[in-house]
Amino acid sequence: MSKKLPLFLAFTLLLSSWSFFSSGPSEEEVEQALGIQIHDNQCVEAEGKPGYMCTFITDGNNWTITRRLIKTDTGWQPVAGN
């Protein structure tokens, strides 16, 4: 095993933790934007549209919902009609 591999892996993990390389809004940011409690948040970049498509489960009734969110000066905001 190369001695450079652990260094490369550490560097890759560091880069992936920076918000520049993140995959959209966090669970807390989605909760703030929508005003509901959620879990199992997964966001991917929206295809052909600005923002991210986020799929999550609502706390309480366990509905699975997908919403598009965009980053604004005031934080993440949901987009009507996705």
Side-chain angles (χ1 to χ4, degrees):
M1 179 183 210
S2 169
K3 291 182 179 184
K4 292 182 181 181
L5 183 58
L7 181 59
F8 174 75
L9 291 175
F11 182 72
T12 302
L13 287 173
L14 176 65
L15 287 179
S16 67
S17 69
W18 290 351
S19 61
F20 177 77
F21 295 96
S22 74
S23 58
S26 68
E27 197 164 283
E28 290 175 347
E29 291 169 323
V30 173
E31 288 178 335
Q32 280 185 324
L34 300 175
I36 59 174
Q37 297 292 308
I38 66 166
H39 59 277
D40 296 336
N41 181 49
Q42 297 179 4
C43 297
V44 296
E45 197 168 346
E47 292 184 26
K49 299 178 181 180
Y52 289 83
M53 296 299 293
C54 298
T55 301
F56 50 86
I57 300 173
T58 60
D59 287 354
N61 56 17
N62 287 327
W63 292 344
T64 300
I65 297 174
T66 300
R67 292 292 305 267
R68 183 164 57 101
L69 286 95
I70 57 171
K71 182 75 170 181
T72 68
D73 292 340
T74 59
W76 290 96
Q77 299 296 318
V79 176
N82 283 339

